[in-house]
Amino acid sequence: MRMLWGGASASSQYEGGFELFNKGMDTQDCRRYIKRTDNATTSTRLLTRADIERAKYPLDGDFFPGRKGSEGLLHIDEDIEYLSELGIDIYRISIAWSRIFPTGEEETPNEEALNMYGDILKKLKSKGIKIYLSLTHYALPLALVEKYGGWKNRKLIDLYLKYAKVIFERFGEYLDFVVPFNEINTGFFSPFNGLGLLRDENREGSGYDLNDIFAGLHNQFIASAKVIELGKKMLKASFGCMAACFCYYGYSCNPLDQLKTLQYEQINQWFFTDVLAAGEYPYYMKKYFRDNDIKVEFLPGDREILRNNTADFVGFSYYQSNVCAFEEMEKTAGNLVVSTKNPYLKANEWGWQIDPVGMRISMNKIYDRYKKPVMITENSFGYNDVLEEGNIINDDYRIQYLNDHFEQIKLAIDDGVECLAYLLWGIVDIVSAGSLEMTKRYGVVYVDADNLGNGTYKRYKKKSFKFYKEFIEKEKNVVKS
Ligand code: BG6
């Protein structure tokens, strides 16, 4: 099959419509916008019980970007037209669990929301677009955080399976690719987004207990494998796993830099895909658990469930590469993790280091490790675009970024990597997941809105729209000829 080119988004960053279709409140609805500073990142990502109370009873002037997204539900028909005009082969969409089961525990699903999602999927299919469904992308019904403490409670596995079953029954015919969790390694770095764990301000260190984090991750691993087991009985779709890819380089050839790089890559990235794509906890975690006094509870049957239900493909998000140094050196920000600065690379305004070659390296490393097809489920350039007079957006920097990454993807394929698809992140602009800024844009379609939800939310094609459209057209023609 020819490699597919497409786009991607997430319900809480795109949809808006907090008050529509009887949605239940979820974790992403609780995240309040705070102007970007170093500390703001912690406050907007790692929520405490007090933050939840404030989200339920907001103060004047509080703004929760996840509730508005980029008003996707109000512009859905127009946005689908843009996707169709681009000629994309595949679109990655996520469903908000709390729209289907507002508290996660209702006896019956919310029909209104099911009809709404059914319509969207049908329209996409009618345009000849394949569907990649993320069953969850961070958004967890808030009631499950308040009642059970989030994913650290094993009870969530059954509730999640019940949700998955409804989705498969109703939408099975539309689904081509299914991934149970977005960036399964998020729970380790961002326990609120990934696992629905609340930060305890009175606790020393990060405010989290590593035992809770690893209990939550184990429950997600089991849930993921069980969803695959169920899905394979019900659907023809292909099932994957997905992690944020960090592409670590050792700062120098000092063996200590290299050792640290190996260890960082193991714990931050490989652990997650080793469990989901290779089917077992890797050997190196034994030492990590011992050193950090972590006990993961395996119930009878857990090992078999993981072993027998591995992912068909390995998805990954890639935005930038990271550097590990044994000694303390100057740092820069990155997606989820902080990196040592790489003297050979430039970075965007958020400090994320731009590295197209890292894409080729990552594709090779992942394919080599699992011998399963890979999929680039997120990539693009985060930039504060300017809407110029005449509603023009000259995002040449994004065209450059995309072009350079596409070249490296092709080189990786030439290396022999089997790649299913490339999905351009936030193809119609969406709210940033990390900083909650609307002005950190990734798309090829501009949405006229600011960080506080002001604006017309009108859509305008960026210069990169034409670039991506022509690129896809050419790809299709090359394969035909
Ligand atoms: C990934 C997430 O980590 O990175 C997305 O899956 C997110 O939800 C993307 O939007 C880019 O990060 P940010 O913080 O710039 O939105």
Side-chain angles (χ1 to χ4, degrees), residues 10 13 45 92 137-138 182-183 186 242 244 317 319 335-336 352 378 425 430-435 440 442:
Q13 295 169 258
R45 287 189 201 184
R92 173 180 172 207
H137 192 122
Y138 300 159
N182 173 63
E183 290 182 343
T186 298
M242 187 217 164
S317 60
Y319 294 93
N335 188 20
L336 301 172
W352 297 23
E378 286 181 28
W425 181 240
I430 54 175
V431 170
S432 146
S435 60
K440 190 178 186 194
Y442 289 93

Side-chain angles (χ1 to χ4, degrees), residues 171-208:
F171 304 139
E173 61 183 301
Y174 304 126
L175 308 180
D176 299 285
F177 300 94
V178 177
V179 170
F181 294 96
N182 173 63
E183 290 182 343
I184 187 104
N185 45 352
T186 298
F188 185 49
F189 311 102
S190 225
F192 179 74
N193 280 347
L195 301 167
L197 302 187
L198 294 177
R199 179 164 65 97
D200 179 352
E201 277 172 314
N202 299 320
R203 210 191 150 81
E204 299 234 328
S206 69
Y208 290 99

Side-chain angles (χ1 to χ4, degrees), residues 117-175:
Y117 282 119
D119 273 357
I120 296 178
L121 296 174
K122 218 180 291 170
K123 280 179 191 151
L124 286 164
K125 278 279 158 173
S126 74
K127 302 285 184 188
I129 297 174
K130 291 187 190 298
I131 308 283
Y132 169 128
L133 178 73
S134 308
L135 266 175
T136 39
H137 192 122
Y138 300 159
L140 174 68
L142 183 63
L144 300 182
V145 174
E146 297 198 288
K147 189 165 172 191
Y148 298 112
W151 273 99
K152 71 180 179 205
N153 192 317
R154 199 161 167 126
K155 169 89 183 165
L156 264 71
I157 300 177
D158 290 339
L159 295 171
Y160 190 63
L161 274 172
K162 179 172 149 181
Y163 158 65
K165 186 157 182 269
V166 168
I167 300 299
F168 293 165
E169 276 165 0
R170 295 300 178 97
F171 304 139
E173 61 183 301
Y174 304 126
L175 308 180

